[in-house]
Amino acid sequence: MELAQAYFPAITPRAAWKKLKSLLIDDPSTSHLARLTRRTFLPAEVATIFAALGMP
């Protein structure tokens, strides 16, 4: 949720999480991360997200 809030600080944490998941699904290099059942990302996964979406 912290990562989602970093990308979307003006909306609620839950809405930010949903929006981040939709961005992850749209990008082929990160779509597998959107299907994870956990709500935390490993450092390597965060690096992949930063590479695909840019820094928040």
Side-chain angles (χ1 to χ4, degrees):
M1 290 257 191
E2 288 179 35
L3 183 59
Q5 280 293 153
Y7 278 102
F8 308 104
I11 58 179
T12 65
R14 183 176 214 132
W17 173 251
K18 287 181 179 181
K19 194 163 187 145
L20 179 61
K21 278 187 78 168
S22 73
L23 286 177
L24 295 176
I25 289 170
D26 291 341
D27 189 305
S29 67
T30 60
S31 62
H32 67 283
L33 297 173
R35 292 188 298 269
L36 295 175
T37 57
R38 57 184 160 82
R39 288 185 142 182
T40 58
F41 296 111
L42 301 173
E45 294 168 339
V46 172
T48 301
I49 293 169
F50 287 167
L53 303 179
M55 295 293 285

